[in-house]
Amino acid sequence: MRHIIDLSDLKMEEFNELYKLTSNIIDRPEGYTEACRGKVLGSLFYEPSTRTNLSFSTAMKRLGGSVIGFSNPSASSTTKGETLDDTITMVSNYADMIVMRHPSEGAATAASFFSEVPVINAGDGGHLHPTQTLTDMITILRLRGSADNMKIGICGDLKYGRTVHSLIRFLANYKNVQFYLIAPRQLAIPEYLRQFMRENKMKFFEVSGLEPVIPMLDVLYMTRIQRERFADIAVYESLRGIYCLTKAKLRDAKKDLLVMHPLPRVDEIAKDVDDDPRAVYFDQARFGMYARMALLLTLSKEPRYRMPKNIPGRPNLRCTNPKCITRSETYLPMETHRTPEGERCIYCEQAVEYRKRRVVVEWE
Ligand code: NCD
């Protein structure tokens, strides 16, 4: 069963097929208006979304399919205490594919264990956001021809920005990509990604200033500071507005630079940049809809598959990440991946710890 938890779940040949299909849809959308007739997308948004939610719904409708679900968890049975596994088991009875956004990290992996139909991760906390990466890659390939040999600056919230995490991982597939990771120390990329980049021999520089690197870049990927993910709002307040790209700052940039942003923007790109031909963030959002059409059409051909329930797991293991889905959905079986840096949680990829067995003293 094919689930899309991260875009790196696709082999490069599969991604190239998806790119070809997206290009065909962009060039000839009228050829696809019946392609998903009779198919149903279950759309479960436990966290706010405008673009991703609307672009998935529009994509499904443009393929002739229909959409069920919710965009606000308070309108679902979650408020009655229903667990994620039951919601997923139930929705996968009704739908042919599920797209899900959730505030907990690793939620999409958890959902994939209980779904008979493909699960698409539309964002799991600060962890991953593969369909935004699909959107970003289609934009780079359509507008630049290739993602090889480029200098990409990624600026803003590299700690909590899930679009950044998925994009960095996927760019491991390309040759000679140099990364300028522009962030204050408090918002630097997570250590597991730094290790990933070293293991994959990816060249990266961590810097805090935006202006000095702009002239070198082929792509500048701006992101907003993710207010909702800060435990202490005072820390957010101290960092807000730290980067703001303006028309004046683009004066020494390359003529064919691509300025990208997953959107929504807050204050990190001034409106005076919008008219610059190098600003492609609204085109990027449009490409995202076509990319999601290609993804839905491809996954709609997957057969149904029932996973064995009751995966044993290891009860004495615990994920150290307080935002991991295993912290709120405590019945989830705990397991790890082995990496050169040790064992990592299969859901959110953070470090795990072993709990001592609880000794039960019985009174005589
Ligand atoms: C992004 C997200 O949800 O992570 N938005 C999107 O899907 N286009 C970026 C963000 O919210 O900052």
Side-chain angles (χ1 to χ4, degrees):
M1 161 66 63
R2 167 47 47 83
H3 302 288
I4 305 293
I5 307 302
D6 194 27
L7 202 59
S8 316
D9 292 337
L10 296 181
K11 296 196 201 76
M12 265 324 257
E13 308 88 80
E14 292 171 319
F15 171 75
N16 290 335
E17 281 301 310
L18 210 51
Y19 177 60
K20 238 192 274 164
L21 180 57
T22 307
S23 299
N24 287 342
I25 298 175
I26 293 174
D27 297 336
R28 211 176 55 83
E30 64 286 357
Y32 295 87
T33 52
E34 297 294 313
C36 276
R37 175 71 61 211
K39 297 280 181 182
V40 177
L41 173 67
S43 170
L44 312 182
F45 278 74
Y46 290 88
E47 213 187 35
S49 166
T50 311
R51 252 155 308 277
T52 309
N53 187 1
L54 290 183
S55 74
F56 264 113
S57 301
T58 317
M60 193 61 186
K61 288 176 182 165
R62 282 177 185 258
L63 292 167
S66 50
V67 185
I68 57 166
F70 52 83
S71 54
N72 177 355
S74 60
S76 76
S77 286
T78 310
T79 51
K80 299 183 189 167
E82 185 169 61
T83 49
L84 184 67
D85 59 338
D86 281 0
T87 308
I88 296 296
T89 305
M90 202 240 358
V91 174
S92 85
N93 281 327
Y94 301 157
D96 301 291
M97 291 168 279
I98 293 178
V99 56
M100 185 178 93
R101 171 171 287 192
H102 199 283
S104 294
E105 301 179 3
T109 301
S112 72
F113 292 161
F114 303 100
S115 175
E116 290 184 18
V117 298
V119 171
I120 305 169
N121 182 9
D124 57 333
H127 186 214
L128 298 168
H129 192 351
T131 63
Q132 182 61 47
T133 302
L134 182 61
T135 300
D136 301 340
M137 290 309 306
I138 303 280
T139 308
I140 294 173
L141 297 178
R142 286 282 296 191
L143 302 181
R144 199 180 170 268
S146 159
D148 291 328
N149 305 314
M150 67 173 181
K151 292 195 170 75
I152 178 168
I154 307 184
C155 176
D157 191 341
L158 313 191
K159 179 177 181 187
Y160 298 118
R162 54 195 172 193
T163 66
V164 171
H165 304 162
S166 282
L167 181 61
I168 290 177
R169 298 224 301 201
F170 196 71
L171 284 172
N173 293 305
Y174 292 85
K175 283 195 290 287
N176 191 26
V177 181
Q178 281 185 31
F179 293 83
Y180 292 83
L181 302 174
I182 310 156
R185 195 173 30 84
Q186 299 93 318
L187 298 178
I189 51 161
E191 186 52 32
Y192 82 89
L193 270 175
R194 219 173 266 131
Q195 284 166 3
F196 172 87
M197 296 181 89
R198 288 193 196 111
E199 277 160 32
N200 286 280
K201 313 235 170 325
M202 295 159 83
K203 203 163 177 188
F204 67 97
F205 307 95
E206 293 191 68
V207 298
S208 56
L210 170 62
E211 281 95 316
V213 299
I214 289 180
M216 292 183 263
L217 301 176
D218 302 299
V219 174
L220 173 57
Y221 191 93
M222 297 295 294
T223 64
R224 84 183 159 92
I225 299 184
Q226 308 267 306
R227 184 178 190 277
E228 67 279 25
R229 308 213 188 279
F230 282 76
D232 181 355
I233 207 67
V235 180
Y236 167 75
E237 289 299 339
S238 70
L239 294 168
R240 71 185 287 182
I242 179 165
Y243 298 112
C244 182
L245 183 69
T246 58
K247 204 175 176 62
K249 289 183 191 167
L250 283 174
R251 209 186 34 229
D252 297 327
K254 290 187 179 169
K255 293 280 160 285
D256 56 355
L257 169 74
L258 301 181
V259 180
M260 298 175 60
H261 193 306
L263 302 176
R265 76 171 140 188
V266 181
D267 47 16
E268 57 285 345
I269 301 185
K271 299 254 187 214
D272 69 358
V273 177
D274 293 1
D275 293 332
D276 190 300
R278 292 169 289 190
V280 299
Y281 27 89
F282 290 115
D283 302 310
Q284 188 183 345
R286 187 167 43 86
F287 289 139
M289 181 190 69
Y290 293 118
R292 289 180 174 108
M293 286 174 77
L295 183 64
L296 290 173
L297 177 52
T298 305
L299 292 180
S300 69
K301 297 180 180 141
E302 288 282 322
R304 260 175 195 273
Y305 175 76
R306 192 185 285 266
M307 281 267 284
K309 295 263 154 90
N310 301 323
I311 310 156
R314 288 188 281 160
N316 61 332
L317 258 188
R318 190 171 107 119
C319 180
T320 56
N321 174 10
K323 295 182 177 160
C324 178
I325 187 71
T326 54
R327 293 297 189 91
S328 49
E329 307 279 328
T330 49
Y331 54 86
L332 287 170
M334 192 60 210
E335 261 308 340
T336 57
H337 294 298
R338 285 196 187 280
T339 74
E341 281 69 39
E343 289 185 88
R344 299 279 155 168
C345 171
I346 49 166
Y347 300 93
C348 72
E349 298 169 276
Q350 301 284 339
V352 292
E353 61 193 10
Y354 283 87
R355 283 188 290 193
K356 290 205 182 72
R357 269 190 206 289
R358 203 149 24 109
V359 179
V360 181
V361 180
E362 282 188 22
W363 295 97
E364 293 197 356

